[in-house]
Amino acid sequence: MSSWSATRYKTRNWPSYNTALKQRGSLSIWFDPEMSWHALPTGKRGRQPEFSDAAIQICLTMKVLFGMPLRQTTGFVESLLRLAGLDWKVPDFSTLCRRQKTLNVAIPYRGGSGPLHLLIDATGIKAEGEGEWSARKHGGSKKRLWRKLHLGMDEETLEIRAVGVTTSNIGDAPMLPDLLDQIPPDQEIATVTADGAYDTRRCHNVIAARGAAAVIPPRKNAQLWKPTTVGAIARNEAVRACKYLGRALWRKLTGYHRRSRAETKMNCVKLLGQGLMARDFDRQVAELQVRIAVLNRYTALGIPITEPVG
């Protein structure tokens, strides 16, 4: 009997993908002379905002891309506008700090050609505190804090369609309904793929309510649920399949391996910084959302197209 060997893949669009990778380093993709830099009147009493949300988001995007403090970000954007021949005024560091707390970050996406195959995953990102080496050597006088990032990614386009940020004491499963709510109701969802942490009644029920199939491995020694809901019936079928076919074959038949793409996207998020520079929760949420917007912009430039070899 021959031993099993992993499937080999080859990238078929290296010329276009190489061009897309080069464009990721171009600063021209972030500035549009036709954009609304100054805010429109709100019609409310009091001082009107001078800069639009798009202007604030661009400045914060430069901050995230290059890991700069707010004052350096202001100088950097000023120089870019000067080189582009634009006489726009740049918000100062205090304005950026204040607006970041309430910023409505626009996360662009293109959308796929058919029903959405959503990949769900979550990871922790360090918010503040001393590093591991300092904690080992000196005992870590300051408590290290973490924020949990929950993502829903489109398998076809590799774009992030849903994002949630919570404290570290919030589990993965409770955030799934919120992630699905971020998908427009008229968007058809074919499958929702997640790990065993989402094997709960509520998760299966909300997935079934959207007319999607749940690709979630049952927990070990999982028992059948009472078939009172559509989600419970679908989950019972997965339990029976894992029992009679084996978990390895079930994963292959359902395409559960696709979830690894979400884990890869999590690594991309951390490449923009292993920790968060913001100190309060609302600004940390905006910082992570800006990272997601950057990654979706990168993805829109081009992604590799791979096919199995042989």
Side-chain angles (χ1 to χ4, degrees):
M1 183 177 179
S2 59
S3 60
W4 177 86
S5 59
T7 304
R8 297 176 56 194
Y9 292 87
K10 183 177 180 180
T11 302
R12 300 295 186 181
N13 64 332
W14 267 118
S16 60
Y17 183 49
N18 183 63
T19 302
L21 293 177
K22 290 171 59 179
Q23 289 179 343
R24 292 184 181 186
S26 174
L27 294 175
S28 61
I29 66 175
W30 305 107
F31 287 95
D32 181 8
E34 303 299 327
M35 67 172 294
S36 299
W37 186 262
H38 297 283
L40 299 176
T42 62
K44 299 180 181 180
R45 297 180 60 183
R47 183 179 179 182
Q48 301 296 309
E50 184 176 1
F51 303 97
S52 64
D53 284 348
I56 300 298
Q57 182 171 337
I58 285 181
C59 294
L60 295 178
T61 297
M62 298 297 108
K63 178 179 182 294
V64 166
L65 282 173
F66 299 100
M68 298 181 296
L70 289 174
R71 290 177 175 85
Q72 293 183 14
T73 300
T74 299
F76 184 77
V77 175
E78 284 180 349
S79 63
L80 289 180
L81 294 178
R82 192 180 306 113
L83 292 174
L86 301 173
D87 58 351
W88 297 344
K89 183 180 178 181
V90 179
D92 56 27
F93 72 95
S94 61
T95 300
L96 291 177
C97 182
R98 173 171 45 84
R99 292 284 298 276
Q100 181 178 351
K101 189 173 184 178
T102 59
L103 179 64
N104 184 19
V105 179
I107 301 179
Y109 66 89
R110 297 166 298 164
S113 57
L116 176 63
H117 294 271
L118 199 62
L119 309 178
I120 304 294
D121 200 7
T123 189
I125 295 183
K126 189 180 301 182
E128 63 178 5
E130 299 181 4
E132 286 79 1
W133 178 87
S134 180
R136 289 197 304 267
K137 188 172 183 64
H138 303 291
S141 59
K142 189 173 182 181
K143 182 180 179 181
R144 286 172 289 173
L145 299 179
W146 296 80
R147 297 292 179 242
K148 211 165 189 178
L149 178 63
H150 309 261
L151 296 181
M153 190 184 77
D154 186 347
E155 180 202 356
E156 178 184 351
T157 62
L158 303 184
E159 294 175 325
I160 297 174
R161 295 293 305 274
V163 55
V165 183
T166 63
T167 55
S168 58
N169 61 335
I170 303 298
D172 297 350
M175 287 299 298
L176 181 60
D178 179 69
L179 295 178
L180 292 181
D181 287 341
Q182 297 181 34
I183 307 300
D186 57 346
Q187 170 72 64
E188 181 182 358
I189 303 178
T191 61
V192 176
T193 306
D195 59 24
Y198 298 86
D199 184 30
T200 65
R201 292 180 183 271
R202 188 183 181 192
C203 288
H204 282 278
N205 289 337
V206 296
I207 293 174
R210 289 297 301 262
V215 184
I216 301 175
R219 301 174 187 270
K220 292 184 178 180
N221 301 323
Q223 303 299 321
L224 297 179
W225 292 343
K226 291 183 179 181
T228 56
T229 62
V230 178
I233 295 174
R235 192 261 188 182
N236 289 343
E237 293 297 328
V239 173
R240 295 188 182 98
C242 289
K243 180 179 180 181
Y244 292 104
L245 300 177
R247 300 179 72 87
L249 183 56
W250 175 86
R251 293 183 179 186
K252 183 176 181 180
L253 293 176
T254 58
Y256 177 74
H257 61 279
R258 298 175 298 185
R259 197 185 65 84
S260 62
R261 296 185 175 181
E263 297 179 352
T264 303
K265 185 64 70 172
M266 287 295 188
N267 181 62
C268 295
V269 174
K270 293 185 178 181
L271 289 177
L272 294 175
Q274 292 290 331
L276 299 174
M277 299 182 67
R279 285 295 175 260
D280 64 271
F281 182 77
D282 292 334
R283 291 183 176 89
Q284 290 167 356
V285 172
E287 182 177 341
L288 288 172
Q289 290 176 342
V290 169
R291 291 191 189 188
I292 302 305
V294 169
L295 292 179
N296 279 3
R297 191 68 178 271
Y298 280 168
T299 303
L301 295 175
I303 59 176
I305 299 176
T306 58
E307 298 178 356
V309 178

